[in-house]
Amino acid sequence: MQAHVSIILPVHNAEPWLDECLRSVLQQDFEGTMELSVFNDASKDKSGAIIEKWRVKLEDSGVHVIIGGHDSLSPRGVGYSKNQAVAQSSGSYLCFLDSIIGCRVRRDPPNSTERYTRWINQLTPEQLLTQGVPEDLLFFYEHLRKGGGVVRVDQSLLLYRYHPRAATHSVLETTIWTHRVRFLEEQALPRWAAFTIWNAGKQGRRLYRSLTAASQRKVVAFCDVDENKIRKGFYCHEDSQERPKPRIPILHFRAARPPFVICVKLDLTGGAFEDNLRSLHLQEGQDFLHFS
């Protein structure tokens, strides 16, 4: 019988956490039909034995369990494992039991990545598309390209575990940055004839340099609160092939005009940046987007 919900679980050397993870599946209070689709990506520890142990308990409780995997010398990656688990599943809805965040979260250990956790938990439903950038970036972007929406459940439903061997740490920051810039240019910047980059420092200049030439020409100014940057008056893109080289004005944020692409990390200025932003009475998504 086809399940209503398929829980998708990629596994690679997850022995220290797998019992707790599978126990959480057993403790779900969902009343519809549910299956667990596991793909074991070349684990060399006792993950396979733990999965088999929990198969009996889960199926006795009415949760059908599908187990796939391979025992090659090297894992093929979390994306591959998710795709294989999806392919072998039958549910009308997929629930990824790893790191796609659509709710409030608790961190384990509790004091790990405090600012990131606070940011996740304070996002409003309206900020999901303008600030929310899930770890599963390509899945999320493709979902939006196909017309999908995003809904936030304002309850703490997920224990988001942080540990040094997490797959997150294997993704290069430059890879994430490149995908984010391309999506910004594809989905947001075409709506604007011109825009201002809020941050004349390292991150703002990096964003400018990462844009295509067509998008760079839409940048009318940088803005900042740093008097030294404002006093200089402009940013010169020395690597540009254009002649003369582009010189982008640097303004105080109150002298700049929206829309803004904001390259300032939130929750790092003791509330000063957030107060400055609120004072302009801008509408998120229309007058500004976060890229931080």
Side-chain angles (χ1 to χ4, degrees), residues 60-74:
D60 284 347
S61 297
V63 179
H64 180 50
V65 179
I66 308 160
I67 301 174
H70 67 97
D71 57 1
S72 302
L73 293 177
S74 300

Side-chain angles (χ1 to χ4, degrees), residues 104-137:
R104 300 184 71 222
V105 305
R106 293 179 295 117
R107 268 293 204 185
D108 182 31
N111 62 347
S112 59
T113 61
E114 290 182 76
R115 190 182 69 84
Y116 180 64
T117 304
R118 189 161 54 248
W119 169 72
I120 290 173
N121 288 337
Q122 290 177 351
L123 283 174
T124 66
E126 292 76 20
Q127 291 173 320
L128 292 176
L129 295 180
T130 58
Q131 289 190 35
V133 183
E135 183 177 285
D136 301 78
L137 207 57

Side-chain angles (χ1 to χ4, degrees), residues 13 26 76 99 122 129 136 149 160 174 285:
N13 290 345
L26 187 63
R76 296 174 186 170
S99 58
Q122 290 177 351
L129 295 180
D136 301 78
Y160 194 15
T174 52

Side-chain angles (χ1 to χ4, degrees), residues 22-260:
L22 294 172
R23 186 177 296 109
S24 75
V25 176
L26 187 63
Q27 293 172 343
Q28 295 301 307
D29 58 6
F30 177 65
E31 296 180 355
T33 55
M34 186 168 64
E35 70 180 14
L36 174 66
S37 180
V38 184
F39 191 84
N40 189 354
D41 186 21
S43 293
K44 306 306 180 192
D45 59 4
K46 296 179 181 178
S47 291
I50 295 172
I51 293 167
E52 289 295 342
K53 177 186 71 176
W54 279 94
R55 181 212 288 262
V56 177
K57 297 179 182 180
L58 288 164
E59 293 195 333
D60 284 347
S61 297
V63 179
H64 180 50
V65 179
I66 308 160
I67 301 174
H70 67 97
D71 57 1
S72 302
L73 293 177
S74 300
R76 296 174 186 170
V78 65
Y80 174 85
S81 302
K82 286 180 184 177
N83 287 338
Q84 296 304 306
V86 169
Q88 69 191 18
S89 69
S90 67
S92 301
Y93 296 90
L94 305 177
C95 178
F96 289 86
L97 187 53
D98 71 329
S99 58
I100 296 180
I101 301 172
C103 63
R104 300 184 71 222
V105 305
R106 293 179 295 117
R107 268 293 204 185
D108 182 31
N111 62 347
S112 59
T113 61
E114 290 182 76
R115 190 182 69 84
Y116 180 64
T117 304
R118 189 161 54 248
W119 169 72
I120 290 173
N121 288 337
Q122 290 177 351
L123 283 174
T124 66
E126 292 76 20
Q127 291 173 320
L128 292 176
L129 295 180
T130 58
Q131 289 190 35
V133 183
E135 183 177 285
D136 301 78
L137 207 57
L138 300 182
F139 178 92
F140 179 67
Y141 285 166
E142 191 61 26
H143 170 72
L144 296 180
R145 288 186 182 106
K146 293 182 180 297
V150 183
V151 177
R152 175 183 169 85
V153 178
D154 199 24
Q155 300 176 42
S156 183
L157 302 178
L158 178 68
L159 177 64
Y160 194 15
R161 195 181 303 278
Y162 180 89
H163 61 91
R165 299 202 302 274
T168 303
H169 304 305
S170 67
V171 181
L172 295 176
E173 188 274 339
T174 52
T175 300
I176 296 174
W177 176 272
T178 299
H179 284 297
R180 293 184 64 206
V181 171
R182 294 290 83 83
F183 192 77
L184 177 73
E185 293 189 302
E186 174 189 322
Q187 297 293 320
L189 298 188
R191 305 198 307 262
W192 296 341
F195 64 95
T196 300
I197 295 178
W198 190 317
N199 186 348
K202 181 178 178 180
Q203 285 295 88
R205 297 194 304 268
R206 181 187 181 191
L207 173 60
Y208 177 84
R209 294 193 300 269
S210 300
L211 296 172
T212 63
S215 295
Q216 288 177 352
R217 286 191 285 271
K218 290 185 176 184
V219 179
V220 294
F222 290 88
C223 71
D224 213 294
V225 296
D226 187 318
E227 292 297 335
N228 292 328
K229 295 184 179 72
I230 296 168
R231 193 176 300 115
K232 180 180 179 181
F234 66 91
Y235 163 69
C236 181
H237 182 27
E238 296 290 352
D239 294 333
S240 174
Q241 300 302 310
E242 295 185 24
R243 295 293 183 273
K245 295 182 185 295
R247 291 161 65 98
I248 315 302
I250 300 176
L251 309 174
H252 189 276
F253 76 91
R254 293 196 182 279
R257 67 177 188 267
F260 299 100

Side-chain angles (χ1 to χ4, degrees), residues 10-25:
V11 173
H12 173 68
N13 290 345
E15 179 183 349
W17 314 283
L18 200 49
D19 277 310
E20 185 177 2
C21 175
L22 294 172
R23 186 177 296 109
S24 75
V25 176

